[in-house]
Amino acid sequence: MKILVKGKNKKIEYRFIVSFILFLIALIIGLFTCHSYGISWDEFSSQTIGQVNYAYLFYGDNTLNTFGSRDYGVAFELPLFALERILRLNDFADIYLMRHIVTHIFFLLSAVALFLLIEYLYHNKLLATIGFLFLLLNPLIYGHSFINSKDLPLMSMHIFCFLLAAIAFNKKTIFWYALLGIFCGLLTNIRIVGSLLSFTILFFFLIDIISSWKNKDELKKNIIFCFVFLLFMTAALYLSWPYLYKHPILNFISGFNNMARYRWFGNVLFWGKEVNATHLDWYYGITWFLISNPILYLVAGFGGILYFIFKFITCPAIFFKNNANRNILIYVIGFIVPLVLVIVLHSVLYDSWRHLFFIYPSFILLAIFGLNKIIKTRARTMVITILFACFVYVGYYFIENFPYQHVYFNELVSDNKPEKLRKTFDMDYWGTSYQQATEYILKTDTSNLITIVYKPNPPLAPLLIFNAKGRKRIRTISTIEDADYLVTNYRNHPQDFPIPHSKECYSIKVLNSTILSIFKLK
C-alpha cells in the first residue's frame, strides 16, 4: 500500500510511516525515562575500552598494547567515547546518561530494521508490527537496552545485517553486497562471535558458486559478489578494530579463543546454588532463555522452529536456493548453532543469557515464519487477539516494575512465593538498583557526610548518583561496623543478612522477591 503526498508528487511507502510512528512513540518514552536506569556493573570498564582505543588512534598512546581488555571489539564503544569527547562531557552523570540514550536509540533503530525486514519478506505490516513488539516488549531485553553497551549492540547489529542480507541476496548487486560486508565487519568487531553470520553468508555464496558452475556469466557474478563481500567485510573489521593493526590474523585468532572461554571466574546463583562460572551446567544459557522470556513468545518461536523442521523435511532444497526461504535457514543457524557452540566449547556464561542475546532476533524471525502460516488460516483472529493481549500483559509488567524490567521471570519459575526467586537465581546482577537506593538515602538523611557499605561493592559506587552535589556527601567504606548504611542487591549473598529486620529502612521488590535492601545501621 502506498500513500500519495500532495504537493510533492512523491509516493511514500506506508511501511516507513508505520515503522516511524512505532519508533517515535518508543523514543519519546525512552527519552522521558532514561534517567531512571542506574549505572550497570560493566559501564565503567566499557567506557575505558573506548577510551584506551581512542587514545591509541588519535594520540598514539600505546597503553592498548598492555591493556587487559585490548581484545574486546570497539565498533560500538569507540564511537561512544568519541561522542563523549565531541560533546565535551566531563561529569559522570552526563557521560553515562548519554551512553544510555545512544545505546537505547541504537536498539530502537534495530527494532525499526526488524519491522522493515519482516515487511520486506512477507509484505505484511501486521506481522512486522508483531515482530517489532516481540523485540520491544521483552522485559529483559528492553531493560538492557539502556545499560548494556556490549550485548545489546551485538544483538541490534545482527538485525541490521539480517535486513541487508535479505536485500543483497534478492537484489544481487555489488552495492548491497559491499554494504552487507561493511556491516558484517562491524558486527564481528562488536563481538567476535558475530563472525558466525559472515561464515553463514559465505556458505551460501559457496552454494551459489557450485550451482552456477555450468553458467559462466552467473558463475562470474557469484564469484565477484563473494569477493566484494569478503573485501569489504575484512576491510571494515580491520579498519575499525585497532587491536588487529599489528598482527591481524594472529590477534583475530587470539581474540576468538579468548572470547570462546572468557576470563571471568566469579560465581553465579543457579537453581539455588552458588556455582563458579567456569563449572556451570551445559544447560545454564538454555534454562535462562526459557525462564526469562514471556511464555507466549516462546510458544511462537518454537512453533516457528517446528514448522521449519516440517518444511525442511518435506522439501529441503527450497532453503538453500537464493530465495526468501534462504533467510529462514540463516535464522535457524543463527539461533541453534550458538547454543551448540556454547555447549561444545564450554564457554563461560554469567548474568543470565545476556551473552546470547544476539540469538533472539533469529528466534523472533522464526516465530514470524510460523505466524505467517497461521494468520492465513481460520485461527487468525484468535491468534492475533491472544498475542496483543499478551503484549498488554507484558506492558503492565513494564509499568509495575519500572525501571527494573530486566529483572524478569516468566510463570515457569515465578510462583510469587516470598523471596523464592532471590534465593534461586541472580536478580539485579547489574546493580542498577544502587542508584535508587543511594538517592533514597540522600533524600531522607540530611547529614553532611554519609558512610555507606555496598555489598557487593560496584566499581562506581561513589558515582552512582546523577547528582554532583549528592556524590560529595557520600563516602563508601568496606566495614559494616563503621557505616551508617548497608546497601545490598544480594548478589553472591542471596541469604538474609544477620541484621535485625527492624533496621531495614527501604527495599525494592520484583515478583515478591527483594532485589535490594537498605539497612540503617546507626
Side-chain angles (χ1 to χ4, degrees):
M1 178 178 179
K2 296 183 179 179
I3 295 178
L4 181 64
V5 180
K6 295 181 179 180
K8 293 186 178 181
N9 292 324
K10 187 178 180 181
K11 292 181 178 180
I12 298 180
E13 295 263 359
Y14 184 55
R15 65 172 178 251
F16 292 110
I17 295 177
V18 174
S19 60
F20 176 75
I21 292 173
L22 291 171
F23 169 79
L24 189 61
I25 294 171
L27 177 63
I28 291 172
I29 293 173
L31 291 177
F32 272 99
T33 59
C34 61
H35 64 280
S36 300
Y37 294 86
I39 298 173
S40 67
W41 227 269
D42 287 359
E43 288 195 65
F44 179 72
S45 61
S46 296
Q47 182 207 19
T48 304
I49 290 170
Q51 181 180 15
V52 170
N53 281 271
Y54 184 89
Y56 177 82
L57 281 177
F58 294 98
Y59 299 107
D61 188 332
N62 290 319
T63 302
L64 178 65
N65 296 329
T66 56
F67 183 50
S69 298
R70 59 187 177 276
D71 53 355
Y72 253 99
V74 294
F76 194 75
E77 294 297 347
L78 185 56
L80 264 184
F81 188 81
L83 185 59
E84 176 186 324
R85 295 295 86 202
I86 292 171
L87 297 176
R88 298 182 181 180
L89 302 178
N90 296 306
D91 185 78
F92 284 100
D94 297 331
I95 291 171
Y96 289 103
L97 188 58
M98 179 275 292
R99 290 175 61 88
H100 288 186
I101 292 172
V102 173
T103 305
H104 185 63
I105 290 176
F106 192 68
F107 164 71
L108 295 182
L109 289 173
S110 74
V112 172
L114 182 63
F115 178 100
L116 296 175
L117 170 59
I118 295 170
E119 209 283 333
Y120 187 80
L121 293 176
Y122 300 102
H123 308 290
N124 188 310
K125 294 163 193 65
L126 175 61
L127 280 178
T129 302
I130 291 172
F132 182 96
L133 295 176
F134 271 146
L135 182 64
L136 192 74
L137 292 181
N138 184 305
L140 179 65
I141 298 294
Y142 187 87
H144 278 253
S145 72
F146 292 94
I147 58 179
N148 186 344
S149 63
K150 295 179 179 180
D151 309 295
L152 256 293
L154 177 68
M155 184 202 73
S156 297
M157 186 62 84
H158 266 87
I159 298 174
F160 292 121
C161 289
F162 285 159
L163 174 60
L164 291 173
I167 296 174
F169 278 116
N170 182 42
K171 299 283 188 180
K172 300 180 183 178
T173 65
I174 289 177
F175 170 79
W176 286 109
Y177 281 119
L179 193 59
L180 175 61
I182 292 171
F183 272 72
C184 283
L186 295 175
L187 171 68
T188 304
N189 185 340
I190 292 177
R191 269 202 173 161
I192 207 162
V193 70
S195 60
L196 174 62
L197 180 58
S198 293
F199 287 123
T200 304
I201 292 171
L202 290 173
F203 166 71
F204 284 112
F205 273 127
L206 180 61
I207 291 176
D208 289 343
I209 290 172
I210 293 174
S211 62
S212 62
W213 196 259
K214 295 181 180 180
N215 186 329
K216 291 185 177 180
D217 290 338
E218 195 68 22
L219 176 62
K220 181 180 178 181
K221 285 183 180 180
N222 287 327
I223 292 175
I224 291 174
F225 293 152
C226 182
F227 174 77
V228 168
F229 171 79
L230 263 176
L231 176 66
F232 280 86
M233 186 272 289
T234 53
L237 175 62
Y238 177 79
L239 292 174
S240 65
W241 197 357
Y243 175 61
L244 300 181
Y245 286 1
K246 289 189 175 181
H247 306 287
I249 297 176
L250 290 177
N251 283 358
F252 181 84
I253 295 173
S254 174
F256 184 88
N257 291 333
N258 289 340
M259 291 303 158
R261 286 190 59 83
Y262 184 64
R263 48 193 179 271
W264 194 81
F265 307 101
N267 291 337
V268 300
L269 183 63
F270 188 54
W271 291 114
K273 296 180 180 180
E274 291 279 341
V275 186
N276 190 273
T278 59
H279 295 91
L280 279 170
D281 293 315
W282 63 268
Y283 51 84
Y284 175 82
I286 296 173
T287 298
W288 267 100
F289 182 84
L290 293 176
I291 67 175
S292 59
N293 284 298
I295 287 181
L296 195 60
Y297 297 12
L298 296 175
V299 171
F302 286 114
I305 292 174
L306 289 175
Y307 179 56
F308 164 80
I309 293 172
F310 169 76
K311 294 286 288 184
F312 189 84
I313 291 174
T314 55
C315 189
I318 64 172
F319 293 100
F320 292 95
K321 295 179 180 179
N322 192 355
N323 54 35
N325 288 303
R326 167 175 288 187
N327 295 287
I328 307 305
L329 186 54
I330 290 176
Y331 310 146
V332 171
I333 294 171
F335 178 71
I336 294 178
V337 172
L339 292 173
V340 174
L341 287 177
V342 163
I343 296 170
V344 172
L345 298 175
H346 303 288
S347 299
V348 174
L349 300 179
Y350 52 94
D351 297 345
S352 76
W353 59 287
R354 68 178 181 87
H355 301 95
L356 291 168
F357 279 175
F358 66 92
I359 70 174
Y360 186 60
S362 293
F363 190 72
I364 292 175
L365 290 162
L366 291 171
I368 297 299
F369 178 63
L371 289 172
N372 180 56
K373 177 66 176 179
I374 292 175
I375 64 171
K376 296 175 182 177
T377 69
R378 294 181 179 179
R380 170 190 171 94
T381 302
M382 180 185 69
V383 170
I384 292 174
T385 301
I386 293 174
L387 276 173
F388 279 91
C390 177
F391 292 143
V392 172
Y393 175 76
V394 174
Y396 175 76
Y397 182 91
F398 271 59
I399 297 170
E400 184 181 31
N401 296 287
F402 171 81
Y404 306 110
Q405 294 97 331
H406 66 285
V407 184
Y408 174 80
F409 295 87
N410 63 30
E411 290 77 8
L412 293 176
V413 291
S414 60
D415 55 14
N416 219 32
K417 289 182 180 178
E419 306 304 329
K420 175 186 175 181
L421 288 172
R422 192 240 297 178
K423 297 180 180 181
T424 307
F425 301 103
D426 291 314
M427 298 190 74
D428 183 28
Y429 42 77
W430 279 121
T432 59
S433 55
Y434 279 7
Q435 176 185 321
Q436 187 173 334
T438 313
E439 287 174 344
Y440 171 84
I441 293 173
L442 287 173
K443 184 178 180 180
T444 57
D445 191 324
T446 59
S447 304
N448 292 327
L449 181 64
I450 304 170
T451 55
I452 302 176
V453 170
Y454 293 93
K455 294 287 185 180
N457 188 39
L460 294 170
L463 313 171
L464 292 167
I465 296 300
F466 288 170
N467 179 317
K469 293 181 179 179
R471 290 199 295 266
K472 294 179 181 179
R473 295 174 55 206
I474 294 175
R475 186 177 67 175
T476 59
I477 60 176
S478 57
T479 55
I480 293 179
E481 294 76 16
D482 300 323
D484 297 319
Y485 295 91
L486 166 65
V487 178
T488 179
N489 70 343
Y490 294 98
R491 183 171 186 177
N492 301 132
H493 194 299
Q495 308 82 14
D496 295 332
F497 279 78
I499 300 173
H501 184 71
S502 59
K503 290 184 177 291
E504 185 180 41
C505 61
Y506 182 80
S507 66
I508 300 172
K509 290 182 181 289
V510 174
L511 296 171
N512 211 22
S513 284
T514 306
I515 68 169
L516 177 132
S517 291
I518 301 176
F519 296 94
K520 185 173 174 58
L521 305 176
K522 294 181 181 179

